[in-house]
Amino acid sequence: MGTSISELISEKIDGMSTSERKAAQTLIANYPLIGLRTVAEFSAQAGVSSPTILRFVSRLGFQSYPEFQQALQQELAAQIQSPFNRTTIIQSAKGSAAYPLMEAAIENIRETFHHLSTQQLDDVTDALSRTRSHVYLLGGRFTDPIAIYMAAHLKIIRSGVTHLTGQESNWRDQLIDMGKKDVLIIFDIRRYQDSLIRFAEKAQARGVEIVLITDQWLSPIARFARHVIAGRTAVPSPWDSSTTLFLMAETLIAGVTQKLQSSSAERIREMEQLRDG
């Protein structure tokens, strides 16, 4: 697949002007629908001029606003594909690779980290390294195992880590203890889970700092998130691949371990003594 617009934004945002960044942030928070509206509507919502929107689109590499919108429409069509739809597409586009899913997953990793900015990862690592903050993790039907995996590692590195388990009502009970100093990591990929979106909205209303780890088409949770990290998930299978998201989680785990090197080493040492005892 080609480079998504969200990936282009991650790649180019450091070189954007302040007003162009506002356009980028507005698009990410309302992805992709605000980009399918007129230039005037997009500019009004972003609080910038119409020429700024056109400069923003040009900076992303598009020759015109209609070309930009056509790319968004193609992404929207891919975003709403069901596993059945993908089966039909895959059968009509079979290649000669011996292990096409493996090769696609490797390419997904390569392209994800090519477009991802170091600053994005650093910002999330810093948020997860604030030991006075409580960290909560949650995922969807197929992505919650990544949240469990990440929580298990973070609990060894630092205190104050909770994986939100059970049904949506159980998550909501946890909101009473969540506030402005806390961080919520949510994993959500297409077809995006309504219960996660509702929970993210409520958490954001309480001032919780939300980290969204999603696919290249961006979960609607992006509108509530402080940090959005997009990884490629499409492979020649009816099912999306979580390989890149697992590597993203491991990258953040490694970053937090390094950031909290002294305290985490002491914590791990004490844990080992307790186990031996």
Side-chain angles (χ1 to χ4, degrees), residues 83-103:
F84 174 78
N85 295 143
R86 280 174 245 162
T87 300
T88 305
I89 293 169
I90 292 162
Q91 288 175 344
S92 64
K94 286 185 176 178
S96 57
Y99 300 102
L101 192 145
M102 179 196 71
E103 293 185 9

PDB file of all heavy atoms in Angstrom, residues 83-103:
ATOM      1  N   PRO A  83     -13.446  -8.278   7.044  1.00  0.00           N
ATOM      2  CA  PRO A  83     -12.601  -9.425   6.668  1.00  0.00           C
ATOM      3  C   PRO A  83     -13.088 -10.121   5.405  1.00  0.00           C
ATOM      4  O   PRO A  83     -12.278 -10.589   4.594  1.00  0.00           O
ATOM      5  CB  PRO A  83     -12.703 -10.336   7.895  1.00  0.00           C
ATOM      6  CG  PRO A  83     -12.926  -9.390   9.034  1.00  0.00           C
ATOM      7  CD  PRO A  83     -13.816  -8.306   8.462  1.00  0.00           C
ATOM      8  N   PHE A  84     -14.408 -10.177   5.195  1.00  0.00           N
ATOM      9  CA  PHE A  84     -14.943 -10.801   3.978  1.00  0.00           C
ATOM     10  C   PHE A  84     -14.514 -10.029   2.734  1.00  0.00           C
ATOM     11  O   PHE A  84     -14.087 -10.620   1.741  1.00  0.00           O
ATOM     12  CB  PHE A  84     -16.465 -10.864   4.046  1.00  0.00           C
ATOM     13  CG  PHE A  84     -17.100 -11.372   2.771  1.00  0.00           C
ATOM     14  CD1 PHE A  84     -17.103 -12.727   2.479  1.00  0.00           C
ATOM     15  CD2 PHE A  84     -17.674 -10.486   1.862  1.00  0.00           C
ATOM     16  CE1 PHE A  84     -17.663 -13.191   1.298  1.00  0.00           C
ATOM     17  CE2 PHE A  84     -18.237 -10.947   0.682  1.00  0.00           C
ATOM     18  CZ  PHE A  84     -18.235 -12.301   0.396  1.00  0.00           C
ATOM     19  N   ASN A  85     -14.622  -8.689   2.786  1.00  0.00           N
ATOM     20  CA  ASN A  85     -14.190  -7.856   1.661  1.00  0.00           C
ATOM     21  C   ASN A  85     -12.717  -8.084   1.354  1.00  0.00           C
ATOM     22  O   ASN A  85     -12.317  -8.177   0.191  1.00  0.00           O
ATOM     23  CB  ASN A  85     -14.408  -6.373   1.964  1.00  0.00           C
ATOM     24  CG  ASN A  85     -15.866  -6.015   2.125  1.00  0.00           C
ATOM     25  OD1 ASN A  85     -16.232  -5.182   2.966  1.00  0.00           O
ATOM     26  ND2 ASN A  85     -16.744  -6.629   1.333  1.00  0.00           N
ATOM     27  N   ARG A  86     -11.905  -8.173   2.394  1.00  0.00           N
ATOM     28  CA  ARG A  86     -10.477  -8.334   2.210  1.00  0.00           C
ATOM     29  C   ARG A  86     -10.146  -9.693   1.593  1.00  0.00           C
ATOM     30  O   ARG A  86      -9.215  -9.814   0.806  1.00  0.00           O
ATOM     31  CB  ARG A  86      -9.747  -8.170   3.547  1.00  0.00           C
ATOM     32  CG  ARG A  86      -9.565  -6.708   3.939  1.00  0.00           C
ATOM     33  CD  ARG A  86      -8.982  -6.585   5.324  1.00  0.00           C
ATOM     34  NE  ARG A  86      -9.938  -5.956   6.220  1.00  0.00           N
ATOM     35  CZ  ARG A  86      -9.882  -6.013   7.540  1.00  0.00           C
ATOM     36  NH1 ARG A  86      -8.912  -6.699   8.109  1.00  0.00           N
ATOM     37  NH2 ARG A  86     -10.780  -5.408   8.278  1.00  0.00           N
ATOM     38  N   THR A  87     -10.907 -10.709   1.939  1.00  0.00           N
ATOM     39  CA  THR A  87     -10.696 -12.042   1.351  1.00  0.00           C
ATOM     40  C   THR A  87     -10.852 -11.986  -0.162  1.00  0.00           C
ATOM     41  O   THR A  87     -10.042 -12.528  -0.915  1.00  0.00           O
ATOM     42  CB  THR A  87     -11.703 -13.052   1.932  1.00  0.00           C
ATOM     43  OG1 THR A  87     -11.520 -13.127   3.345  1.00  0.00           O
ATOM     44  CG2 THR A  87     -11.490 -14.427   1.326  1.00  0.00           C
ATOM     45  N   THR A  88     -11.888 -11.301  -0.630  1.00  0.00           N
ATOM     46  CA  THR A  88     -12.144 -11.177  -2.064  1.00  0.00           C
ATOM     47  C   THR A  88     -11.012 -10.447  -2.761  1.00  0.00           C
ATOM     48  O   THR A  88     -10.539 -10.852  -3.830  1.00  0.00           O
ATOM     49  CB  THR A  88     -13.468 -10.416  -2.292  1.00  0.00           C
ATOM     50  OG1 THR A  88     -14.517 -11.077  -1.587  1.00  0.00           O
ATOM     51  CG2 THR A  88     -13.805 -10.355  -3.767  1.00  0.00           C
ATOM     52  N   ILE A  89     -10.524  -9.357  -2.129  1.00  0.00           N
ATOM     53  CA  ILE A  89      -9.444  -8.559  -2.720  1.00  0.00           C
ATOM     54  C   ILE A  89      -8.157  -9.376  -2.787  1.00  0.00           C
ATOM     55  O   ILE A  89      -7.441  -9.372  -3.785  1.00  0.00           O
ATOM     56  CB  ILE A  89      -9.226  -7.269  -1.905  1.00  0.00           C
ATOM     57  CG1 ILE A  89     -10.454  -6.363  -2.041  1.00  0.00           C
ATOM     58  CG2 ILE A  89      -7.980  -6.533  -2.377  1.00  0.00           C
ATOM     59  CD1 ILE A  89     -10.453  -5.190  -1.085  1.00  0.00           C
ATOM     60  N   ILE A  90      -7.862 -10.110  -1.709  1.00  0.00           N
ATOM     61  CA  ILE A  90      -6.636 -10.906  -1.648  1.00  0.00           C
ATOM     62  C   ILE A  90      -6.636 -12.003  -2.707  1.00  0.00           C
ATOM     63  O   ILE A  90      -5.637 -12.243  -3.387  1.00  0.00           O
ATOM     64  CB  ILE A  90      -6.465 -11.512  -0.238  1.00  0.00           C
ATOM     65  CG1 ILE A  90      -6.176 -10.385   0.766  1.00  0.00           C
ATOM     66  CG2 ILE A  90      -5.358 -12.542  -0.205  1.00  0.00           C
ATOM     67  CD1 ILE A  90      -6.426 -10.782   2.199  1.00  0.00           C
ATOM     68  N   GLN A  91      -7.763 -12.665  -2.884  1.00  0.00           N
ATOM     69  CA  GLN A  91      -7.855 -13.744  -3.862  1.00  0.00           C
ATOM     70  C   GLN A  91      -7.644 -13.247  -5.288  1.00  0.00           C
ATOM     71  O   GLN A  91      -7.145 -13.968  -6.138  1.00  0.00           O
ATOM     72  CB  GLN A  91      -9.216 -14.433  -3.739  1.00  0.00           C
ATOM     73  CG  GLN A  91      -9.352 -15.291  -2.485  1.00  0.00           C
ATOM     74  CD  GLN A  91     -10.732 -15.869  -2.322  1.00  0.00           C
ATOM     75  OE1 GLN A  91     -11.694 -15.421  -2.953  1.00  0.00           O
ATOM     76  NE2 GLN A  91     -10.862 -16.870  -1.454  1.00  0.00           N
ATOM     77  N   SER A  92      -8.014 -11.990  -5.537  1.00  0.00           N
ATOM     78  CA  SER A  92      -7.865 -11.433  -6.888  1.00  0.00           C
ATOM     79  C   SER A  92      -6.490 -10.811  -7.112  1.00  0.00           C
ATOM     80  O   SER A  92      -6.192 -10.340  -8.190  1.00  0.00           O
ATOM     81  CB  SER A  92      -8.952 -10.380  -7.136  1.00  0.00           C
ATOM     82  OG  SER A  92      -8.793  -9.286  -6.256  1.00  0.00           O
ATOM     83  N   ALA A  93      -5.657 -10.797  -6.051  1.00  0.00           N
ATOM     84  CA  ALA A  93      -4.349 -10.142  -6.184  1.00  0.00           C
ATOM     85  C   ALA A  93      -3.224 -11.011  -5.626  1.00  0.00           C
ATOM     86  O   ALA A  93      -2.279 -10.528  -5.023  1.00  0.00           O
ATOM     87  CB  ALA A  93      -4.382  -8.795  -5.459  1.00  0.00           C
ATOM     88  N   LYS A  94      -3.316 -12.314  -5.811  1.00  0.00           N
ATOM     89  CA  LYS A  94      -2.307 -13.223  -5.292  1.00  0.00           C
ATOM     90  C   LYS A  94      -0.997 -13.057  -6.039  1.00  0.00           C
ATOM     91  O   LYS A  94      -0.964 -12.944  -7.261  1.00  0.00           O
ATOM     92  CB  LYS A  94      -2.803 -14.668  -5.397  1.00  0.00           C
ATOM     93  CG  LYS A  94      -3.869 -15.021  -4.363  1.00  0.00           C
ATOM     94  CD  LYS A  94      -4.245 -16.493  -4.428  1.00  0.00           C
ATOM     95  CE  LYS A  94      -5.229 -16.854  -3.336  1.00  0.00           C
ATOM     96  NZ  LYS A  94      -5.655 -18.260  -3.398  1.00  0.00           N
ATOM     97  N   GLY A  95       0.081 -13.019  -5.278  1.00  0.00           N
ATOM     98  CA  GLY A  95       1.399 -12.874  -5.875  1.00  0.00           C
ATOM     99  C   GLY A  95       2.159 -14.181  -5.843  1.00  0.00           C
ATOM    100  O   GLY A  95       1.604 -15.249  -5.584  1.00  0.00           O
ATOM    101  N   SER A  96       3.465 -14.098  -6.067  1.00  0.00           N
ATOM    102  CA  SER A  96       4.282 -15.304  -6.144  1.00  0.00           C
ATOM    103  C   SER A  96       5.166 -15.498  -4.922  1.00  0.00           C
ATOM    104  O   SER A  96       5.955 -16.446  -4.874  1.00  0.00           O
ATOM    105  CB  SER A  96       5.173 -15.237  -7.399  1.00  0.00           C
ATOM    106  OG  SER A  96       5.979 -14.065  -7.364  1.00  0.00           O
ATOM    107  N   ALA A  97       5.072 -14.614  -3.923  1.00  0.00           N
ATOM    108  CA  ALA A  97       5.925 -14.723  -2.744  1.00  0.00           C
ATOM    109  C   ALA A  97       5.599 -16.002  -1.981  1.00  0.00           C
ATOM    110  O   ALA A  97       4.438 -16.379  -1.842  1.00  0.00           O
ATOM    111  CB  ALA A  97       5.728 -13.508  -1.842  1.00  0.00           C
ATOM    112  N   ALA A  98       6.652 -16.653  -1.456  1.00  0.00           N
ATOM    113  CA  ALA A  98       6.453 -17.915  -0.723  1.00  0.00           C
ATOM    114  C   ALA A  98       5.711 -17.669   0.588  1.00  0.00           C
ATOM    115  O   ALA A  98       4.860 -18.456   0.989  1.00  0.00           O
ATOM    116  CB  ALA A  98       7.806 -18.569  -0.455  1.00  0.00           C
ATOM    117  N   TYR A  99       6.053 -16.567   1.256  1.00  0.00           N
ATOM    118  CA  TYR A  99       5.427 -16.225   2.533  1.00  0.00           C
ATOM    119  C   TYR A  99       4.944 -14.771   2.477  1.00  0.00           C
ATOM    120  O   TYR A  99       5.564 -13.876   3.060  1.00  0.00           O
ATOM    121  CB  TYR A  99       6.411 -16.414   3.684  1.00  0.00           C
ATOM    122  CG  TYR A  99       6.916 -17.827   3.816  1.00  0.00           C
ATOM    123  CD1 TYR A  99       8.178 -18.179   3.354  1.00  0.00           C
ATOM    124  CD2 TYR A  99       6.122 -18.810   4.409  1.00  0.00           C
ATOM    125  CE1 TYR A  99       8.640 -19.479   3.469  1.00  0.00           C
ATOM    126  CE2 TYR A  99       6.572 -20.123   4.523  1.00  0.00           C
ATOM    127  CZ  TYR A  99       7.832 -20.447   4.045  1.00  0.00           C
ATOM    128  OH  TYR A  99       8.283 -21.740   4.166  1.00  0.00           O
ATOM    129  N   PRO A 100       3.854 -14.521   1.758  1.00  0.00           N
ATOM    130  CA  PRO A 100       3.421 -13.134   1.531  1.00  0.00           C
ATOM    131  C   PRO A 100       3.067 -12.394   2.822  1.00  0.00           C
ATOM    132  O   PRO A 100       3.341 -11.198   2.939  1.00  0.00           O
ATOM    133  CB  PRO A 100       2.202 -13.282   0.624  1.00  0.00           C
ATOM    134  CG  PRO A 100       1.730 -14.688   0.816  1.00  0.00           C
ATOM    135  CD  PRO A 100       2.961 -15.490   1.093  1.00  0.00           C
ATOM    136  N   LEU A 101       2.468 -13.089   3.788  1.00  0.00           N
ATOM    137  CA  LEU A 101       2.104 -12.393   5.025  1.00  0.00           C
ATOM    138  C   LEU A 101       3.355 -11.963   5.784  1.00  0.00           C
ATOM    139  O   LEU A 101       3.432 -10.833   6.292  1.00  0.00           O
ATOM    140  CB  LEU A 101       1.227 -13.281   5.907  1.00  0.00           C
ATOM    141  CG  LEU A 101       0.550 -12.540   7.083  1.00  0.00           C
ATOM    142  CD1 LEU A 101      -0.846 -13.107   7.354  1.00  0.00           C
ATOM    143  CD2 LEU A 101       1.390 -12.615   8.355  1.00  0.00           C
ATOM    144  N   MET A 102       4.341 -12.825   5.858  1.00  0.00           N
ATOM    145  CA  MET A 102       5.587 -12.482   6.546  1.00  0.00           C
ATOM    146  C   MET A 102       6.253 -11.278   5.893  1.00  0.00           C
ATOM    147  O   MET A 102       6.690 -10.335   6.572  1.00  0.00           O
ATOM    148  CB  MET A 102       6.548 -13.670   6.536  1.00  0.00           C
ATOM    149  CG  MET A 102       7.880 -13.385   7.212  1.00  0.00           C
ATOM    150  SD  MET A 102       9.161 -14.593   6.795  1.00  0.00           S
ATOM    151  CE  MET A 102       9.513 -14.171   5.083  1.00  0.00           C
ATOM    152  N   GLU A 103       6.330 -11.307   4.565  1.00  0.00           N
ATOM    153  CA  GLU A 103       6.982 -10.213   3.857  1.00  0.00           C
ATOM    154  C   GLU A 103       6.216  -8.906   4.037  1.00  0.00           C
ATOM    155  O   GLU A 103       6.817  -7.841   4.202  1.00  0.00           O
ATOM    156  CB  GLU A 103       7.124 -10.568   2.377  1.00  0.00           C
ATOM    157  CG  GLU A 103       8.084 -11.731   2.149  1.00  0.00           C
ATOM    158  CD  GLU A 103       8.326 -12.013   0.673  1.00  0.00           C
ATOM    159  OE1 GLU A 103       7.895 -11.210  -0.167  1.00  0.00           O
ATOM    160  OE2 GLU A 103       8.957 -13.037   0.373  1.00  0.00           O
TER     161      GLU A 103
END
